[in-house]
Amino acid sequence: MSGFFAAQQANQPSASQPVQQAPPQQQQTSFAPTSTVTQQPAAQTQSAFFDSLLERSRRRLSDENGVNGLGQVPGLQLGLSDIGRRVRELGGPQGAGAHYVLAGSGVAPGTALRDLNDLNLPPAAAQAATTDTGAYVAHLQSQSTLALITESLNRSARDFDAFLERTVTIDWDSQRQRIYEHFGLVPRGAEAGVVDDGGSSIGGPDQRGFGRSTRRGHGPAADGRRDSSLRDSVFGASAFQKSVIGSPGRGIADQAALFTDTADKVGGENIKGLDDRFLRDKERRLAQRVRTLNEARLQGSFYPVLQQFASAENESGSDQTMTHLVRSYKALVEVTNEDPSAERVTDPNAVRERQFADDYLDESPRSEKSMKFKRRIIDGSRRYLEKLFMQELEALIAKFPREARLGGVPTTINKIRAYVTFRASRKEIYKDNSKLRQLGDDYCWVIIYFLLRSGHLKEAVEYVNDNKAAFQSISRNFVGYLSNYARSEDRRLSRDYQMRIDSEYASWARGSAEEESDPYRNACYKIVGRCNLGLRQLDKIQPGVEDWMWLQFALAREVDRANENAAEVFGLDEVRAVVREIGQRHFAKGQPEAPGGHGTFFFLQILGGLFEEAVAYLYPYAYASAVHFAIALAHYGILRVSSSLESDTELLTFNTKQLPQISFGRMVGYYTRDFRASDVEAATDYLALLCLNADLAGAAGKAQESLCHEALRELVLETREFAKLLGDVRYDGQRVKGAIEKRARLVRFEDRDRQFLDKLTIKAAAVAEDNGRTTDAVLLYHLANEYDRVVTVINRALSEAIAVEIGQEGMRLEPLKSGSENQQPQQQQQQQQQQQGVPMPQTASLSLSSIDSPAELAQKMIGLYNSNALYYNKIKPRNRDACGMLMRMMDARALVERAAWADALDTIEALQILPLRAGGDMTLIRGAAQSFNNQQQLLVPSVSTTMSSFSAAAPGAQYQAANDPHVFVARTVGHLLTWTIACCAQQRRILRSSPFADEPTRRSMADDLAVKAKDLMVFAGLIRYHLPARVFEILARAGSDVDSW
């Protein structure tokens, strides 16, 4: 023993010695303090030994309790992170080891833990209830009620989420991009593609506008019978990727911003504060002309569209821009030879619709057709400038008759002579009149020049021949030059005369005396002989813009360039190049321009035959005028238009042969933004003009026709003016043609081919049905001869009206927009006549625009269909029966609201939906419940068996299942139950509160009502899973009043 103790003494520390802590790295491996062995006295050795024994016992107890020696660690020497690390070191190896041990024994700890957590041990109360049958049944009933309530709440949440998903889906990225572009924060088309006015990102995945619903309802929009050609545009993705008519708006900035190539041309300096009232008046006058144009096209009469549009522009104002616009129309009149005296399009002097399309649209620049129309442009522009000059000359003479001193017979030569006299008196002809050649009192060369300038070539020859002797001494060859020039059809000298006049003109140019020669003689030689075409201006004569342009057309000739001398080639292409150069130098963006400067350049473009570029240039400044110029040009076939797929975002584009073309369809469609909400017939007139270009060859013509039809469809869906656009219904059920059908020939479909119109009507009806516009859907389905769908829509409206709680305001329908301005007084008169019993005339309107009650709508339409076998036979018997049943339910509801309890019970009992005649017989009650449940199972497939096949079914099958007539009736059973029990309770209360309540008859009636109420409660319990969640609460409250519990 002593040896053992001695050995232990050598190994144990003394209690009196201080304990030294180990270094930090040693603390991580052992929590026992180490001490130094020293020599101690014998008395202290025993004390140290017992201390060591006590310490080891404490450690063993700590290890058994899981403390593992932490009790000795001072509390202030470890932080939270150290304590956490110690805990992880303690639990980690043990947990991992246990996991491996269990796994090696074939036990999965994770699976076992989940199984233990899934165990739902009943509480002590539930275990005790197993011996109490009544408590167990009560507990089971409460659990079933709670589960039913939970299921109803979850279903309501899912329905609400689905509703939000369908109706409040907004493309926020596209909308944000649109806002940024509107305020100029980002360039157009910088991020998400080019954003159009409707908020759609072109080429993007979503084509919806702001706040526009993506709802897919129960209407035939989801039907498999919908035609693929009628794709969504305003209400969904368009086949053209962008709305044809744009979103409603107003103003130059809004219109110009619709095209990327015109948006940057609209600035503060370009918008002159155009008065809105002035713009509306102008648009109204132009719309009236367009309507008259379409009426003339339908009647086959001639309509001088250019001159009528010019008069409308002339009535709009008298500023410089309007003056140039009117002059541009008149120049086109000269080009096309439009004669207002023609009455029919078959008259020889009438210009037919699209008459010049073949010549102008020929893409070969040297073809005979192309050169023919270029000559027409040159001659027409020159003639107009000559007539314009003559008008100004006569106006000047009339304004200053004393200075002009016309006198004598006012012949053309005398007028020119008076004009020269007036200009010479003011030193406006030349800076030094002494340099001008005189013949008597006449400045002969000046008179000849102005005779040529005014287009009076015959009078110029006559003047020269009258003074032939004098001209022989002045310029002996000029008489022959002028005579040969006048006899030529294309105003060209013969080869001999051309060589002689070129030689003579060149000798003057080389001579030193040219400085002192008459400048008007040089001008006459240049015009007659087309001398020195490299310099196409008159020396020492200060012409105006019109004079300079006239000189270009006087020198231009369209000839076969292969057989022509290169020095003599100057045609319309060169004139156009000069006009474009003027535009780049003086009318480009950023260049300062005088008031009305854009009108001047537009006039020059029209004169040069740059019709597409002229329209695109005018559009940012006066879009209304630009649109009507394009309409007039397209009417005669002298406008090259682009297909919708080529120009979604740009107004002016170029084809593969670099010929300019205008996005005519979208430009006209966007123009209707200003007024289509207030005047849909005017918008229809404009959109019908899109088919003007449908005669183009190949796919281009079909694209223009499709663009027109797409625009009309968007107009119908956006404005909802169905009665005006698609037609109305007379009192006898016959349809009245709408604005689109009246213009069927203009939009390329006739009465015998109603396929497009029917599809358009059905599509509009589907959209109206999805949006809850019942009256609109009823009218449109009736116009499309879909009478069975009319009854389906009415059934849905009736079921929704029945679902309104008793005591609340009844459901009101959104009335149909009236078809005409004076239709409201007519409807009021018809209603008064109907109330007075006066028979309605066959031509009277059905007046759907005044109906806002589902019951009234059902009565009118069912009455109409019952009176006509053609309509009646097209309605399915199931639909007719369901509609009649729902109408009787509406009658019962009205009786309940009037507190006519007995009459309401009789009406409900006649429906034979509820087991009111069971008399407590459970067999009859179960039979009624089983019949109801079987019908529901046929309508709603089982989730476990047919959910996958039902979800993959065709859209038409889903539509038919959702619109089965029994669905509408089944939705009302819950409300019908509450009405019936309420009627039983109220009628029983009346019988029991009567002073004769003890009579056997009244007592028997009260008992019978109580039995009916109990039967209804049993019936409700049997079909509880097909009833709304609130029905049980209402039934319980009403059942207590009847003592049915």
Side-chain angles (χ1 to χ4, degrees), residues 784-801:
N785 301 326
E786 295 286 342
Y787 309 119
D788 189 65
R789 292 190 181 183
V790 171
V791 179
T792 299
V793 174
I794 292 175
N795 288 345
R796 181 182 298 106
L798 290 174
S799 65
E800 292 175 356

Side-chain angles (χ1 to χ4, degrees), residues 121-132:
L121 297 177
Q127 295 178 359
T130 56
T131 59
D132 189 353

Side-chain angles (χ1 to χ4, degrees), residues 618-759:
L618 182 63
Y619 188 81
Y621 303 97
Y623 66 90
S625 300
V627 168
H628 289 84
F629 264 102
I631 291 173
L633 293 170
H635 178 72
Y636 288 130
I638 51 178
L639 185 73
R640 187 174 286 104
V641 299
S642 60
S643 65
S644 60
L645 299 179
E646 294 174 347
S647 56
D648 277 345
T649 60
E650 294 184 353
L651 178 61
L652 179 67
T653 57
F654 294 87
N655 61 11
T656 55
K657 294 190 176 181
Q658 294 304 307
L659 295 176
Q661 54 188 9
I662 282 290
S663 182
F664 178 75
R666 296 192 183 278
M667 180 177 63
V668 175
Y670 291 160
Y671 174 70
T672 62
R673 293 165 21 118
D674 290 356
F675 53 84
R676 64 173 178 255
S678 59
D679 192 354
V680 293
E681 291 193 12
T684 307
D685 282 316
Y686 279 96
L687 297 181
L689 296 173
L690 302 188
C691 271
L692 281 173
N693 301 284
D695 60 347
L696 298 176
K702 295 181 180 179
Q704 296 299 319
E705 182 178 345
S706 300
L707 195 68
C708 174
H709 294 172
E710 175 74 10
L712 290 173
R713 190 173 68 88
E714 290 187 9
L715 178 68
V716 171
L717 298 178
E718 178 186 307
T719 60
R720 290 184 51 237
E721 295 284 359
F722 303 124
K724 288 184 179 180
L725 296 175
L726 299 178
D728 205 346
V729 183
R730 294 193 308 187
Y731 197 79
D732 58 352
Q734 298 297 321
R735 61 177 297 153
V736 180
K737 289 185 177 181
I740 296 178
E741 193 170 0
K742 290 178 181 177
R743 297 159 178 81
R745 188 166 61 85
L746 303 182
V747 296
R748 299 256 172 166
F749 64 88
E750 305 292 343
D751 292 340
R752 62 180 180 272
D753 184 14
R754 294 181 46 84
Q755 184 179 8
F756 167 75
L757 190 60
D758 289 343
K759 290 179 181 179

Side-chain angles (χ1 to χ4, degrees), residues 889-910:
M889 288 185 190
M890 288 295 294
D891 296 337
R893 187 181 192 278
L895 292 173
V896 173
E897 289 179 339
R898 295 200 302 265
W901 314 114
D903 296 338
L905 278 174
D906 294 339
T907 304
I908 296 174
E909 186 175 353

Side-chain angles (χ1 to χ4, degrees), residues 544-563:
V545 175
E546 292 81 4
D547 299 328
W548 182 84
M549 282 300 298
W550 172 83
L551 178 62
Q552 310 307 306
F553 289 111
L555 298 177
R557 300 290 187 275
E558 279 297 325
V559 295
D560 186 4
R561 303 195 177 199
N563 302 325

